[in-house]
Amino acid sequence: CGDIQALTGGGGFHYVFAYPQGVTIKSKAGNVAANIDTRADNGYIIEPSNHISGNSYQWEGSSDPLDGIPLPEMPQWLIDELKESDRPMNLLPAGDGTFYSGSEWDCMADTQKADLLDALNHCPNELRDDWLHTGMAIHSMDSGETGFNMWSQWSQSSPRFDAEDQARVWFSFKNKQNQKNKESLFFEARKRGWESISEQQQPIIMLPSPVQAQPVPLTPEAAAIVHEVNNSLQYDPDSYKNNFIKIEFDFPQECNVLNQIAEIINASCSCITIAATTQATLALASLMASRKYLTPYGSPCHLYLGVANTGLGDVSELRETSRVVSEILNECGLNNMIRESRITSTQALYKMLVQSPASLYVCDDIAEMITTAGRQNSAGGLDVVLNTITGIYNKDFVQLDSHTDVGMRKDELANFNSSDADDDRPKIRKPALSMLALLADGDLPIFSKAKEVSRGSTPQFLLAICDPDDFKLKEKTKLVLTEEVIESLYRVRGFTRNNGKLEKSLKDIFNDLAGLIPHLTEVEFKDNIEEYDKMIDSVITNERYQRTYRACARENMRRLMTVLAAFSNDGKHVATKPIMDWCAQYIVKHLKRLIDRLSVVSSEDGVLDVRG
């Protein structure tokens, strides 16, 4: 049959041909004859590999393509048998010589429909996995109103039925419709004793059409999804932009220096967006205030900040803002406080914090880090780094076993100065790691994986999703720092200058030593924080997000208030009502934008639908 042949572990054969030009061939089972499968588009074979029987898949002695044996052309009769039809699938005759597009359900005969509806009644829906697999199978047959109502009617017999969840998950099947099909429904039903109506040779009795099912009350968000599904609309990444809350306001006048920093960032970039500029400004501010100030509740004030691009944009449009932050620190002689290259080990992370216990990590590939960590052994590599970064957010100290933990010689840690006289093992006291993560819109599915949510890393981030209409292109100018900005950064950090030269006092040096407990200034909150907590609670109404996001959002709000209080004009370190109002509104508006986005387009496994 062919020149390239492999012996399967189960006693069969694989024949390999060159892919023919000008036709489409899909991977299918039994499409040529019984027990003969095809592997082409969306399929593969692995030679050599192990079989469950203990035998191996291996190339026939004279057929190994690695020996230079060319792939034979596929016989024409086989091409004709396997190729996809030139006419689109699922076209139904309209009666006038034309065709109209129909779903697989529309193309099924009445006997097939009766069989499928009867089999559906035998499929379990108590477990969520069973419920999901059935939904995927129905979606593969009909992704419109008929399919949704069929699945919804069947689901209502489950005690866990949730109408909003039903609509949200149905929308997410757009990326998963090939994972299950109607045959999987029949398979599950047969395992539970179902027999085909036609096989029983009984009169065909059509069950009531699922389209006639009673409507299920839906929330406005779920109703919007159902409307989009029912009208067979392809998702447009910009379709949600008209529903965005416009987030465009300056920092409070009491923190006018932050407005100046934002203006400097905008002037020095050729591509600007309000969300990226504001987050970059806050990243710089939180770095300067970290390991210097505390909230009234004893929490530090370093922040994990993120900026997500929208539409088809990538992180390159956001990198200029982080570049300017780096340039500002360099101009101020503080470039040792920023890390822009990827942290690939805990050793590198700890070494950075030993050298500068208050550091800013600019990460423009966090989605790639998460993806790589998922492919690695969970006992090592990037997964441990991500866990460590998540833990440092709230850690009071990091215990190091020896100098090898930070990749340094023992004599290099001679001035580490551990605070414990009876413990000579090095400790990083009050580690303050601020972060500025850059994400493309397509990175949100990875960033919001269920594992990252449960790890705590995603909820810890104050994530700003850029407004789709916010991007502006302009000529950039050379970075110019005003004396007021420089003095404010030094003041908050506790540095002084003598004849233009940066000086460090004993207090400054004390604060910069990782092994010593720094003296921290507690900021005063002038207004009742509980009223601001209620604002956050009003946004997170979905129980799915309450436990994971509410606590982190409250913590970020307190930290943000502390950072702005540190940069207040009067230098009294007080979070006044205007400052607290600004921070609460900033947190709430960005949180609402994120929750709305997740609620509508997040799929079951916590991964965003890339088209949504």
Side-chain angles (χ1 to χ4, degrees):
C1 181
D3 295 331
I4 302 295
Q5 182 185 109
L7 309 178
T8 72
F13 302 92
H14 287 161
Y15 293 96
V16 184
F17 299 95
Y19 197 106
Q21 299 295 317
V23 297
T24 299
I25 297 179
K26 300 291 186 182
S27 295
K28 294 181 181 179
N31 54 326
V32 177
N35 299 319
I36 297 181
D37 300 341
T38 305
R39 291 292 175 264
D41 288 1
N42 298 320
Y44 59 90
I45 60 174
I46 302 177
E47 316 284 357
S49 62
N50 297 324
H51 188 264
I52 191 173
S53 66
N55 298 323
S56 298
Y57 290 85
Q58 54 188 338
W59 296 109
E60 185 272 329
S62 62
S63 300
D64 192 337
L66 296 180
D67 292 336
I69 306 297
L71 293 177
E73 298 294 326
M74 184 180 291
Q76 188 59 46
W77 67 266
L78 188 56
I79 295 176
D80 295 339
E81 189 72 29
L82 296 176
K83 70 179 182 180
E84 294 287 303
S85 170
D86 292 335
R87 193 185 79 188
M89 295 180 64
N90 299 340
L91 289 185
L92 302 177
D96 58 358
T98 62
F99 293 84
Y100 67 93
S101 178
S103 66
E104 184 177 1
W105 170 264
D106 293 331
C107 297
M108 293 168 61
D110 287 348
T111 53
Q112 292 177 303
K113 291 181 178 180
D115 265 352
L116 190 138
L117 291 171
D118 190 41
L120 189 60
N121 291 328
H122 289 73
C123 292
N125 61 9
E126 289 82 9
L127 298 179
R128 192 168 181 83
D129 280 350
D130 294 331
W131 173 75
L132 284 168
H133 294 163
T134 300
M136 290 179 188
I138 294 174
H139 188 277
S140 72
M141 293 185 297
D142 191 304
S143 60
E145 183 175 8
T146 300
F148 176 77
N149 285 339
M150 187 188 307
W151 188 45
S152 181
Q153 184 184 36
W154 170 80
S155 299
Q156 289 183 57
S157 62
S158 171
R160 299 184 180 185
F161 175 74
D162 183 315
E164 182 175 346
D165 191 39
Q166 187 94 18
R168 176 184 60 79
V169 173
W170 177 264
F171 187 80
S172 76
F173 288 155
K174 285 186 176 182
N175 274 355
K176 301 179 179 179
Q177 58 187 2
N178 293 326
Q179 294 186 7
K180 296 291 178 180
N181 52 30
K182 68 177 186 297
E183 284 73 21
S184 64
L185 292 181
F186 288 127
F187 177 75
E188 290 296 328
R190 288 185 188 279
K191 287 199 304 185
R192 290 161 177 79
W194 173 80
E195 294 182 7
S196 167
I197 295 176
S198 57
E199 290 174 357
Q200 300 171 14
Q201 295 183 345
Q202 296 177 356
I204 297 174
I205 302 176
M206 287 297 292
L207 300 180
S209 170
V211 181
Q212 299 172 1
Q214 291 297 316
V216 180
L218 300 176
T219 65
E221 292 83 1
I225 303 171
V226 176
H227 173 77
E228 188 163 1
V229 172
N230 291 349
N231 287 277
S232 302
L233 294 177
Q234 184 74 14
Y235 183 78
D236 177 1
D238 291 336
S239 64
Y240 57 86
K241 66 183 181 182
N242 293 329
N243 297 322
F244 267 26
I245 297 174
K246 192 71 174 176
I247 301 176
E248 185 174 3
F249 43 82
D250 293 333
F251 290 100
Q253 283 301 312
E254 295 169 83
C255 311
N256 188 53
V257 68
L258 296 181
N259 288 317
Q260 293 185 40
I261 294 173
E263 291 171 1
I264 290 171
I265 292 175
N266 282 342
S268 304
C269 293
S270 60
C271 179
I272 62 174
T273 170
I274 294 170
T277 297
T278 308
Q279 291 287 82
T281 303
L282 290 175
L284 178 62
S286 66
L287 171 65
M288 292 293 101
S290 62
R291 217 166 181 259
K292 290 289 185 179
Y293 299 88
L294 281 177
T295 73
Y297 310 94
S299 296
C301 61
H302 54 272
L303 289 166
Y304 289 178
L305 300 156
V307 188
N309 206 343
T310 49
L312 300 177
D314 56 31
V315 296
S316 63
E317 297 176 310
L318 306 174
R319 285 194 181 105
E320 281 194 287
T321 55
S322 63
R323 173 188 58 78
V324 178
V325 172
S326 179
E327 290 181 359
I328 291 174
L329 290 171
N330 187 63
E331 286 290 312
C332 294
L334 304 175
N335 53 303
N336 65 313
M337 299 181 72
I338 189 169
R339 167 87 177 224
E340 296 177 280
S341 58
R342 180 191 283 192
I343 298 176
T344 58
S345 67
T346 54
Q347 187 181 76
L349 176 61
Y350 292 152
K351 183 175 182 179
M352 177 184 71
L353 291 174
V354 165
Q355 294 173 336
S356 178
S359 292
L360 172 63
Y361 178 28
V362 177
C363 183
D364 62 1
D365 60 352
I366 190 168
E368 185 180 343
M369 288 178 65
I370 293 170
T371 301
T372 304
R375 294 194 295 261
Q376 294 176 341
N377 188 314
S378 60
L382 287 176
D383 197 62
V384 175
V385 173
L386 292 171
N387 280 329
T388 305
I389 290 175
T390 301
I392 286 177
Y393 178 80
N394 275 317
K395 261 193 173 178
D396 195 52
F397 67 88
V398 173
Q399 177 70 68
L400 306 175
D401 289 331
S402 71
H403 60 281
T404 58
D405 282 355
V406 291
M408 300 173 70
R409 299 189 311 272
K410 193 170 184 178
D411 60 298
E412 290 182 286
L413 288 177
N415 296 322
F416 191 84
N417 293 338
S418 173
S419 297
D420 296 332
D422 58 346
D423 187 356
D424 60 356
R425 292 180 302 169
K427 273 186 184 146
I428 303 175
R429 298 285 189 172
K430 303 291 183 183
L433 178 66
S434 298
M435 284 189 69
L436 178 60
L438 311 180
L439 298 97
D441 191 53
D443 291 335
L444 285 175
I446 302 167
F447 187 72
S448 301
K449 280 185 175 180
K451 180 179 179 180
E452 296 311 309
V453 174
S454 61
R455 190 203 303 268
S457 56
T458 299
Q460 283 177 347
F461 271 87
L462 169 50
L463 184 66
I465 302 177
C466 296
D467 191 306
D469 294 329
D470 184 29
F471 284 89
K472 297 180 178 64
L473 297 177
K474 54 174 282 298
E475 291 293 331
K476 65 180 180 181
T477 61
K478 182 181 178 181
L479 176 70
V480 178
L481 293 182
T482 63
E483 281 298 311
E484 184 178 355
V485 167
I486 295 174
E487 287 296 335
S488 295
L489 294 176
Y490 285 164
R491 174 182 60 80
V492 171
R493 195 70 209 147
F495 295 157
T496 57
R497 287 191 297 173
N498 184 13
N499 296 325
K501 185 178 180 180
L502 182 63
E503 290 187 343
K504 294 185 178 181
S505 66
L506 291 176
K507 178 181 176 182
D508 302 329
I509 296 173
F510 183 82
N511 278 9
D512 282 345
L513 288 176
L516 296 178
I517 301 175
H519 172 73
L520 302 175
T521 301
E522 184 177 298
V523 166
E524 179 185 356
F525 286 2
K526 278 296 187 180
D527 208 359
N528 183 4
I529 194 67
E530 293 180 0
E531 294 302 315
Y532 297 102
D533 287 339
K534 292 177 183 178
M535 294 174 61
I536 289 177
D537 295 345
S538 68
V539 175
I540 313 178
T541 57
N542 189 323
E543 291 183 2
R544 182 181 180 196
Y545 302 106
Q546 282 180 349
R547 286 183 296 180
T548 53
Y549 282 88
R550 181 167 59 183
C552 288
R554 288 183 172 188
E555 175 70 8
N556 280 334
M557 181 173 65
R558 288 157 172 76
R559 294 187 181 201
L560 189 61
M561 291 173 176
T562 301
V563 170
L564 264 64
F567 276 86
S568 59
N569 299 335
D570 57 16
K572 294 181 179 179
H573 318 310
V574 174
T576 60
K577 188 176 188 308
I579 288 177
M580 296 177 75
D581 285 346
W582 188 96
C583 294
Q585 291 177 33
Y586 190 79
I587 292 282
V588 165
K589 289 187 177 183
H590 280 301
L591 183 63
K592 176 172 174 52
R593 181 173 292 184
L594 176 62
I595 293 297
D596 286 348
R597 190 113 160 89
L598 295 180
S599 298
V600 172
V601 299
S602 176
S603 68
E604 170 55 24
D605 55 3
V607 182
L608 292 177
D609 187 321
V610 175
R611 288 169 291 184

